[in-house]
Amino acid sequence: MTEIDFIDRTFVNFRDHPFSDGQGHGFRWVDLKAFRFPQDSQDPDLLAAVVAHEQFRDDYAGGGVDPDGSRHGPYWLHAVKPDEYQSVSKVETALVLEEWANQYGCLPDSLEDALKETLLTAVESASRIYRLRDLGSGAFHDWGGVHRDFHEFVAIDDDRQVLTLLVAADD
């Protein structure tokens, strides 16, 4: 199996960027986890490697990474399989993320800049992108409905040999 090495995590919290109306527009955030992968790795192997990685065991609801965990976002870990990721274009990915980010109105400049530097840079530099399809409520773990929105993408950058797990959600 292909091995990937965790590099770092970037977290953008909407509450850290004041909106003109003084509201943070809910508990929304973006989480990016970057991994280095070996040259000539194949996409199915990379998707399997990220799903198997310890950093993938994250409920994205404040619990953080649990090495022995059984949850991933709103889903039971066992429900998330590499073949649940579907290839998407950069344009489609950017559109989904921009609509999600702007769903309550215009973003403050500081937040827009932070999202461009992190999220949109990862999308733009990707060679290929995969999106985790909606697995449905049947795959939810015991409190999996806590996220109103949950968007997950895997961006693969062949030039840098970096895979980025992108999660944009709320809780």
Side-chain angles (χ1 to χ4, degrees):
M1 178 155 112
T2 299
E3 294 286 327
I4 59 174
D5 297 316
F6 179 67
I7 302 170
D8 66 359
R9 174 182 182 233
T10 303
F11 187 78
V12 179
N13 192 331
F14 279 40
R15 288 182 288 176
D16 295 340
H17 303 272
F19 284 73
S20 60
D21 62 5
Q23 301 298 310
H25 295 276
F27 298 98
R28 296 188 300 149
W29 45 263
V30 173
D31 190 291
L32 296 92
K33 294 179 182 173
F35 303 84
R36 176 99 37 227
F37 63 84
Q39 191 169 7
D40 299 324
S41 297
Q42 301 299 308
D43 290 3
D45 297 332
L46 290 174
L47 293 170
V50 76
V51 168
H53 201 280
E54 175 180 289
Q55 289 291 321
F56 196 77
R57 292 165 162 60
D58 193 332
D59 59 26
Y60 294 104
V65 173
D66 179 356
D68 299 317
S70 59
R71 295 177 182 88
H72 174 75
Y75 304 117
W76 288 113
L77 184 62
H78 66 80
V80 184
K81 308 273 190 238
D83 61 356
E84 301 295 351
Y85 289 86
Q86 301 168 330
S87 180
V88 293
S89 69
K90 291 180 188 183
V91 171
E92 181 181 347
T93 302
L95 182 63
V96 166
L97 294 170
E98 287 172 14
E99 285 180 358
W100 169 79
N102 291 290
Q103 66 183 306
Y104 300 114
C106 293
L107 300 177
D109 289 343
S110 64
L111 178 55
E112 201 166 304
D113 291 345
L115 293 176
K116 283 180 184 173
E117 290 173 22
T118 58
L119 188 63
L120 296 179
T121 296
V123 170
E124 290 170 6
S125 69
S127 306
R128 291 167 308 291
I129 302 175
Y130 293 88
R131 182 179 188 183
L132 178 63
R133 71 175 188 84
D134 181 351
L135 302 179
S137 61
F140 281 176
H141 56 69
D142 46 350
W143 46 269
V146 69
H147 298 99
R148 181 176 172 272
D149 291 310
F150 185 84
H151 302 285
E152 179 174 315
F153 297 87
V154 173
I156 300 171
D157 182 337
D158 290 326
D159 291 338
R160 293 178 33 237
Q161 290 177 249
V162 171
L163 176 152
T164 305
L165 177 63
L166 312 165
V167 174
D170 57 42
D171 57 26

